[in-house]
Amino acid sequence: SQELEQSPQSLIVQEGKNLTINCTSSKTLYGLYWYKQKYGEGLIFLMMLQKGGEEKSHEKITAKLDEKKQQSSLHITASQPSHAGIYLCGAEGAGGTSYGKLTFGQGTILTVHP
Amino acid sequence: EAGVAQSPRYKIIEKRQSVAFWCNPISGHATLYWYQQILGQGPKLLIQFQNNGVVDDSQLPKDRFSAERLKGVDSTLKIQPAKLEDSAVYLCASSFNRVTEAFFGQGTRLTVV
């Protein structure tokens, strides 16, 4: 089965600082999803990446998928307290019994101090 | 567009009791997922439905957990009997099909005492 490893596990930054969260897969990624979760709540979809080298941005958040499709990064520019939460990467299985199966990394807890 | 609805929002039960969670996916979404998220961990897929058929239930503890999706719309997840280690947030998600982004409900926080 596909294993996703996120780093760091937690991150504390001062408001205005940039930060990066990484997600590494044990297998080639067919589709990579980034979600944000507030404590005790559901997941909010941020972005989906499918092609090697693909990069997407939404407001101050940019996500990239490397050419080999085994690693993704999420970068936040000029962080704000509203960015605080748990960031989760999720991946689709590539085929066979894993096709369409969405599994997640363990999450990265982001704290932004004003 | 209405999102994924889950109920109840919170539930506290004693060990060995039974509990059921309900999920109403986004209209038209064929794929429905149930995840278990233990505090400090990422969501773990318990079961995945495509319409009313089970696609994957390899991580569902079938001796105590059961799920159904009658008529391919709403779904219920049941635990009987509950154990202390079942304390977690149970998340329901739906997607249009198996390879598009999934939308999540607010979750049900279960505490087993």
Side-chain angles (χ1 to χ4, degrees):
Chain A
S1 62
Q2 189 152 38
E3 299 286 335
L4 294 174
E5 186 71 29
Q6 286 186 237
S7 63
Q9 290 190 23
S10 64
L11 194 54
I12 302 173
V13 300
Q14 203 69 30
E15 182 177 0
K17 295 295 185 183
N18 301 335
L19 63 103
T20 299
I21 298 168
N22 294 301
C23 175
T24 301
S25 172
S26 59
K27 297 181 180 180
T28 299
L29 292 161
Y30 180 74
L32 189 285
Y33 301 82
W34 283 100
Y35 285 84
K36 179 185 175 184
Q37 184 179 31
K38 291 285 190 182
Y39 178 74
E41 297 184 8
L43 281 63
I44 299 169
F45 172 75
L46 295 176
M47 277 172 276
M48 172 186 173
L49 304 166
Q50 283 190 306
K51 300 175 183 176
E54 187 174 9
E55 179 176 322
K56 287 187 178 178
S57 294
H58 177 66
E59 297 180 343
K60 294 185 178 180
I61 301 176
T62 300
K64 301 178 184 179
L65 182 61
D66 76 345
E67 290 290 344
K68 294 184 179 179
K69 296 178 66 175
Q70 283 199 265
Q71 187 167 21
S72 178
S73 60
L74 185 84
H75 184 77
I76 299 177
T77 304
S79 59
Q80 299 170 359
S82 60
H83 287 127
I86 304 169
Y87 288 82
L88 292 148
C89 65
E92 288 173 26
T97 57
S98 296
Y99 176 70
K101 181 177 176 179
L102 184 56
T103 57
F104 287 91
Q106 80 277 26
T108 295
I109 302 171
L110 173 63
T111 304
V112 181
H113 286 311
Chain B
E1 177 183 87
V4 177
Q6 287 189 248
S7 67
R9 189 82 169 85
Y10 305 94
K11 190 74 177 179
I12 301 174
I13 62 171
E14 295 183 350
K15 58 183 179 183
R16 291 187 290 273
Q17 284 188 322
S18 301
V19 65
F21 312 127
W22 174 80
C23 173
N24 181 232
I26 292 173
S27 178
H29 281 195
T31 307
L32 185 146
Y33 311 82
W34 281 104
Y35 288 86
Q36 178 194 59
Q37 187 176 24
I38 293 171
L39 186 64
Q41 298 181 17
K44 181 181 90 171
L45 181 66
L46 292 176
I47 189 167
Q48 180 178 343
F49 291 94
Q50 184 71 12
N51 296 307
N52 61 347
V54 175
V55 172
D56 187 293
D57 63 356
S58 56
Q59 297 195 90
L60 186 74
K62 298 179 185 63
D63 58 333
R64 297 184 301 107
F65 286 65
S66 64
E68 60 182 9
R69 190 184 184 196
L70 299 176
K71 300 181 182 179
V73 182
D74 293 6
S75 178
T76 55
L77 176 69
K78 296 179 181 177
I79 307 175
Q80 180 179 15
K83 292 185 176 181
L84 296 176
E85 59 261 36
D86 297 332
S87 294
V89 175
Y90 290 84
L91 295 163
C92 178
S94 70
S95 62
F96 182 70
N97 60 39
R98 291 168 74 177
V99 289
T100 55
E101 64 266 29
F103 295 87
F104 283 77
Q106 289 285 77
T108 296
R109 178 174 296 280
L110 173 68
T111 303
V112 182
V113 298

PDB file of all heavy atoms in Angstrom, chain B residues 37-58:
ATOM      1  N   GLN B  37     -10.093   9.019  12.349  1.00  0.00           N
ATOM      2  CA  GLN B  37      -8.930   9.845  12.645  1.00  0.00           C
ATOM      3  C   GLN B  37      -8.703   9.895  14.152  1.00  0.00           C
ATOM      4  O   GLN B  37      -9.464  10.527  14.890  1.00  0.00           O
ATOM      5  CB  GLN B  37      -9.089  11.263  12.095  1.00  0.00           C
ATOM      6  CG  GLN B  37      -7.824  12.112  12.238  1.00  0.00           C
ATOM      7  CD  GLN B  37      -7.958  13.475  11.605  1.00  0.00           C
ATOM      8  OE1 GLN B  37      -9.046  13.998  11.441  1.00  0.00           O
ATOM      9  NE2 GLN B  37      -6.826  14.066  11.220  1.00  0.00           N
ATOM     10  N   ILE B  38      -7.656   9.227  14.573  1.00  0.00           N
ATOM     11  CA  ILE B  38      -7.270   9.250  15.983  1.00  0.00           C
ATOM     12  C   ILE B  38      -6.452  10.508  16.226  1.00  0.00           C
ATOM     13  O   ILE B  38      -5.694  10.945  15.351  1.00  0.00           O
ATOM     14  CB  ILE B  38      -6.496   7.975  16.342  1.00  0.00           C
ATOM     15  CG1 ILE B  38      -7.441   6.771  16.249  1.00  0.00           C
ATOM     16  CG2 ILE B  38      -5.867   8.056  17.715  1.00  0.00           C
ATOM     17  CD1 ILE B  38      -6.772   5.425  16.374  1.00  0.00           C
ATOM     18  N   LEU B  39      -6.592  11.076  17.402  1.00  0.00           N
ATOM     19  CA  LEU B  39      -5.923  12.331  17.734  1.00  0.00           C
ATOM     20  C   LEU B  39      -4.435  12.283  17.409  1.00  0.00           C
ATOM     21  O   LEU B  39      -3.733  11.356  17.814  1.00  0.00           O
ATOM     22  CB  LEU B  39      -6.128  12.643  19.219  1.00  0.00           C
ATOM     23  CG  LEU B  39      -5.617  14.007  19.708  1.00  0.00           C
ATOM     24  CD1 LEU B  39      -6.390  15.132  19.027  1.00  0.00           C
ATOM     25  CD2 LEU B  39      -5.748  14.095  21.216  1.00  0.00           C
ATOM     26  N   GLY B  40      -3.978  13.257  16.635  1.00  0.00           N
ATOM     27  CA  GLY B  40      -2.561  13.351  16.301  1.00  0.00           C
ATOM     28  C   GLY B  40      -2.149  12.539  15.083  1.00  0.00           C
ATOM     29  O   GLY B  40      -0.968  12.510  14.729  1.00  0.00           O
ATOM     30  N   GLN B  41      -3.101  11.900  14.433  1.00  0.00           N
ATOM     31  CA  GLN B  41      -2.798  11.083  13.258  1.00  0.00           C
ATOM     32  C   GLN B  41      -3.593  11.557  12.043  1.00  0.00           C
ATOM     33  O   GLN B  41      -4.566  12.300  12.176  1.00  0.00           O
ATOM     34  CB  GLN B  41      -3.127   9.610  13.541  1.00  0.00           C
ATOM     35  CG  GLN B  41      -2.325   9.006  14.673  1.00  0.00           C
ATOM     36  CD  GLN B  41      -2.666   7.546  14.906  1.00  0.00           C
ATOM     37  OE1 GLN B  41      -3.254   6.885  14.059  1.00  0.00           O
ATOM     38  NE2 GLN B  41      -2.295   7.029  16.064  1.00  0.00           N
ATOM     39  N   GLY B  42      -3.164  11.107  10.879  1.00  0.00           N
ATOM     40  CA  GLY B  42      -3.930  11.383   9.676  1.00  0.00           C
ATOM     41  C   GLY B  42      -5.144  10.467   9.595  1.00  0.00           C
ATOM     42  O   GLY B  42      -5.218   9.454  10.298  1.00  0.00           O
ATOM     43  N   PRO B  43      -6.121  10.800   8.769  1.00  0.00           N
ATOM     44  CA  PRO B  43      -7.301   9.936   8.617  1.00  0.00           C
ATOM     45  C   PRO B  43      -6.927   8.577   8.034  1.00  0.00           C
ATOM     46  O   PRO B  43      -6.106   8.503   7.127  1.00  0.00           O
ATOM     47  CB  PRO B  43      -8.182  10.724   7.634  1.00  0.00           C
ATOM     48  CG  PRO B  43      -7.692  12.136   7.689  1.00  0.00           C
ATOM     49  CD  PRO B  43      -6.226  12.026   7.952  1.00  0.00           C
ATOM     50  N   LYS B  44      -7.544   7.543   8.574  1.00  0.00           N
ATOM     51  CA  LYS B  44      -7.336   6.184   8.080  1.00  0.00           C
ATOM     52  C   LYS B  44      -8.616   5.721   7.411  1.00  0.00           C
ATOM     53  O   LYS B  44      -9.688   5.750   8.012  1.00  0.00           O
ATOM     54  CB  LYS B  44      -6.978   5.242   9.234  1.00  0.00           C
ATOM     55  CG  LYS B  44      -6.719   3.805   8.790  1.00  0.00           C
ATOM     56  CD  LYS B  44      -6.392   2.900   9.960  1.00  0.00           C
ATOM     57  CE  LYS B  44      -7.633   2.271  10.538  1.00  0.00           C
ATOM     58  NZ  LYS B  44      -7.341   1.216  11.538  1.00  0.00           N
ATOM     59  N   LEU B  45      -8.496   5.276   6.159  1.00  0.00           N
ATOM     60  CA  LEU B  45      -9.670   4.828   5.421  1.00  0.00           C
ATOM     61  C   LEU B  45     -10.220   3.544   6.018  1.00  0.00           C
ATOM     62  O   LEU B  45      -9.507   2.554   6.149  1.00  0.00           O
ATOM     63  CB  LEU B  45      -9.312   4.610   3.945  1.00  0.00           C
ATOM     64  CG  LEU B  45     -10.456   4.148   3.045  1.00  0.00           C
ATOM     65  CD1 LEU B  45     -11.520   5.232   2.928  1.00  0.00           C
ATOM     66  CD2 LEU B  45      -9.926   3.774   1.660  1.00  0.00           C
ATOM     67  N   LEU B  46     -11.512   3.569   6.371  1.00  0.00           N
ATOM     68  CA  LEU B  46     -12.166   2.369   6.887  1.00  0.00           C
ATOM     69  C   LEU B  46     -12.887   1.630   5.771  1.00  0.00           C
ATOM     70  O   LEU B  46     -12.746   0.413   5.620  1.00  0.00           O
ATOM     71  CB  LEU B  46     -13.180   2.738   7.982  1.00  0.00           C
ATOM     72  CG  LEU B  46     -12.615   3.290   9.283  1.00  0.00           C
ATOM     73  CD1 LEU B  46     -13.742   3.698  10.224  1.00  0.00           C
ATOM     74  CD2 LEU B  46     -11.718   2.260   9.964  1.00  0.00           C
ATOM     75  N   ILE B  47     -13.662   2.359   4.988  1.00  0.00           N
ATOM     76  CA  ILE B  47     -14.433   1.723   3.937  1.00  0.00           C
ATOM     77  C   ILE B  47     -14.740   2.747   2.848  1.00  0.00           C
ATOM     78  O   ILE B  47     -14.895   3.939   3.122  1.00  0.00           O
ATOM     79  CB  ILE B  47     -15.739   1.102   4.494  1.00  0.00           C
ATOM     80  CG1 ILE B  47     -16.446   0.252   3.448  1.00  0.00           C
ATOM     81  CG2 ILE B  47     -16.669   2.173   5.059  1.00  0.00           C
ATOM     82  CD1 ILE B  47     -17.553  -0.644   4.016  1.00  0.00           C
ATOM     83  N   GLN B  48     -14.786   2.248   1.615  1.00  0.00           N
ATOM     84  CA  GLN B  48     -15.076   3.094   0.464  1.00  0.00           C
ATOM     85  C   GLN B  48     -16.178   2.434  -0.352  1.00  0.00           C
ATOM     86  O   GLN B  48     -16.101   1.247  -0.676  1.00  0.00           O
ATOM     87  CB  GLN B  48     -13.819   3.264  -0.393  1.00  0.00           C
ATOM     88  CG  GLN B  48     -14.005   4.121  -1.633  1.00  0.00           C
ATOM     89  CD  GLN B  48     -12.713   4.286  -2.414  1.00  0.00           C
ATOM     90  OE1 GLN B  48     -11.624   4.045  -1.901  1.00  0.00           O
ATOM     91  NE2 GLN B  48     -12.830   4.708  -3.661  1.00  0.00           N
ATOM     92  N   PHE B  49     -17.216   3.217  -0.654  1.00  0.00           N
ATOM     93  CA  PHE B  49     -18.317   2.748  -1.471  1.00  0.00           C
ATOM     94  C   PHE B  49     -18.278   3.414  -2.846  1.00  0.00           C
ATOM     95  O   PHE B  49     -17.916   4.578  -2.977  1.00  0.00           O
ATOM     96  CB  PHE B  49     -19.669   3.131  -0.831  1.00  0.00           C
ATOM     97  CG  PHE B  49     -20.009   2.423   0.439  1.00  0.00           C
ATOM     98  CD1 PHE B  49     -19.700   2.999   1.668  1.00  0.00           C
ATOM     99  CD2 PHE B  49     -20.650   1.197   0.433  1.00  0.00           C
ATOM    100  CE1 PHE B  49     -20.019   2.358   2.857  1.00  0.00           C
ATOM    101  CE2 PHE B  49     -20.973   0.552   1.618  1.00  0.00           C
ATOM    102  CZ  PHE B  49     -20.659   1.136   2.829  1.00  0.00           C
ATOM    103  N   GLN B  50     -18.671   2.669  -3.842  1.00  0.00           N
ATOM    104  CA  GLN B  50     -18.940   3.217  -5.157  1.00  0.00           C
ATOM    105  C   GLN B  50     -20.410   2.908  -5.408  1.00  0.00           C
ATOM    106  O   GLN B  50     -20.774   1.744  -5.564  1.00  0.00           O
ATOM    107  CB  GLN B  50     -18.046   2.584  -6.225  1.00  0.00           C
ATOM    108  CG  GLN B  50     -18.201   3.178  -7.609  1.00  0.00           C
ATOM    109  CD  GLN B  50     -17.638   4.581  -7.731  1.00  0.00           C
ATOM    110  OE1 GLN B  50     -16.919   5.067  -6.849  1.00  0.00           O
ATOM    111  NE2 GLN B  50     -17.964   5.260  -8.814  1.00  0.00           N
ATOM    112  N   ASN B  51     -21.239   3.969  -5.425  1.00  0.00           N
ATOM    113  CA  ASN B  51     -22.700   3.798  -5.381  1.00  0.00           C
ATOM    114  C   ASN B  51     -23.029   2.962  -4.141  1.00  0.00           C
ATOM    115  O   ASN B  51     -22.631   3.337  -3.053  1.00  0.00           O
ATOM    116  CB  ASN B  51     -23.204   3.219  -6.685  1.00  0.00           C
ATOM    117  CG  ASN B  51     -22.950   4.172  -7.842  1.00  0.00           C
ATOM    118  OD1 ASN B  51     -23.326   5.336  -7.776  1.00  0.00           O
ATOM    119  ND2 ASN B  51     -22.282   3.693  -8.880  1.00  0.00           N
ATOM    120  N   ASN B  52     -23.697   1.844  -4.247  1.00  0.00           N
ATOM    121  CA  ASN B  52     -24.021   1.081  -3.039  1.00  0.00           C
ATOM    122  C   ASN B  52     -23.151  -0.153  -2.870  1.00  0.00           C
ATOM    123  O   ASN B  52     -23.420  -0.990  -2.008  1.00  0.00           O
ATOM    124  CB  ASN B  52     -25.504   0.720  -2.999  1.00  0.00           C
ATOM    125  CG  ASN B  52     -25.904  -0.149  -4.179  1.00  0.00           C
ATOM    126  OD1 ASN B  52     -25.158  -0.278  -5.140  1.00  0.00           O
ATOM    127  ND2 ASN B  52     -27.063  -0.753  -4.111  1.00  0.00           N
ATOM    128  N   GLY B  53     -22.078  -0.252  -3.673  1.00  0.00           N
ATOM    129  CA  GLY B  53     -21.165  -1.384  -3.565  1.00  0.00           C
ATOM    130  C   GLY B  53     -19.896  -1.010  -2.841  1.00  0.00           C
ATOM    131  O   GLY B  53     -19.424   0.118  -2.926  1.00  0.00           O
ATOM    132  N   VAL B  54     -19.329  -1.976  -2.108  1.00  0.00           N
ATOM    133  CA  VAL B  54     -18.093  -1.752  -1.373  1.00  0.00           C
ATOM    134  C   VAL B  54     -16.890  -1.925  -2.302  1.00  0.00           C
ATOM    135  O   VAL B  54     -16.740  -2.947  -2.946  1.00  0.00           O
ATOM    136  CB  VAL B  54     -17.974  -2.730  -0.186  1.00  0.00           C
ATOM    137  CG1 VAL B  54     -16.622  -2.561   0.500  1.00  0.00           C
ATOM    138  CG2 VAL B  54     -19.110  -2.509   0.802  1.00  0.00           C
ATOM    139  N   VAL B  55     -16.048  -0.890  -2.368  1.00  0.00           N
ATOM    140  CA  VAL B  55     -14.839  -0.931  -3.185  1.00  0.00           C
ATOM    141  C   VAL B  55     -13.660  -1.417  -2.360  1.00  0.00           C
ATOM    142  O   VAL B  55     -12.842  -2.212  -2.829  1.00  0.00           O
ATOM    143  CB  VAL B  55     -14.539   0.454  -3.776  1.00  0.00           C
ATOM    144  CG1 VAL B  55     -13.184   0.474  -4.455  1.00  0.00           C
ATOM    145  CG2 VAL B  55     -15.636   0.878  -4.740  1.00  0.00           C
ATOM    146  N   ASP B  56     -13.572  -0.933  -1.131  1.00  0.00           N
ATOM    147  CA  ASP B  56     -12.451  -1.290  -0.263  1.00  0.00           C
ATOM    148  C   ASP B  56     -12.906  -1.237   1.188  1.00  0.00           C
ATOM    149  O   ASP B  56     -13.445  -0.237   1.619  1.00  0.00           O
ATOM    150  CB  ASP B  56     -11.279  -0.317  -0.474  1.00  0.00           C
ATOM    151  CG  ASP B  56     -10.031  -0.738   0.273  1.00  0.00           C
ATOM    152  OD1 ASP B  56     -10.034  -0.719   1.515  1.00  0.00           O
ATOM    153  OD2 ASP B  56      -9.036  -1.111  -0.384  1.00  0.00           O
ATOM    154  N   ASP B  57     -12.708  -2.321   1.898  1.00  0.00           N
ATOM    155  CA  ASP B  57     -12.971  -2.336   3.346  1.00  0.00           C
ATOM    156  C   ASP B  57     -11.865  -3.106   4.063  1.00  0.00           C
ATOM    157  O   ASP B  57     -12.073  -3.695   5.113  1.00  0.00           O
ATOM    158  CB  ASP B  57     -14.342  -2.919   3.669  1.00  0.00           C
ATOM    159  CG  ASP B  57     -14.484  -4.375   3.245  1.00  0.00           C
ATOM    160  OD1 ASP B  57     -13.535  -4.917   2.628  1.00  0.00           O
ATOM    161  OD2 ASP B  57     -15.538  -4.979   3.507  1.00  0.00           O
ATOM    162  N   SER B  58     -10.665  -3.051   3.480  1.00  0.00           N
ATOM    163  CA  SER B  58      -9.553  -3.836   3.995  1.00  0.00           C
ATOM    164  C   SER B  58      -9.108  -3.417   5.400  1.00  0.00           C
ATOM    165  O   SER B  58      -8.518  -4.206   6.127  1.00  0.00           O
ATOM    166  CB  SER B  58      -8.360  -3.761   3.036  1.00  0.00           C
ATOM    167  OG  SER B  58      -7.990  -2.412   2.812  1.00  0.00           O
TER     168      SER B  58
END
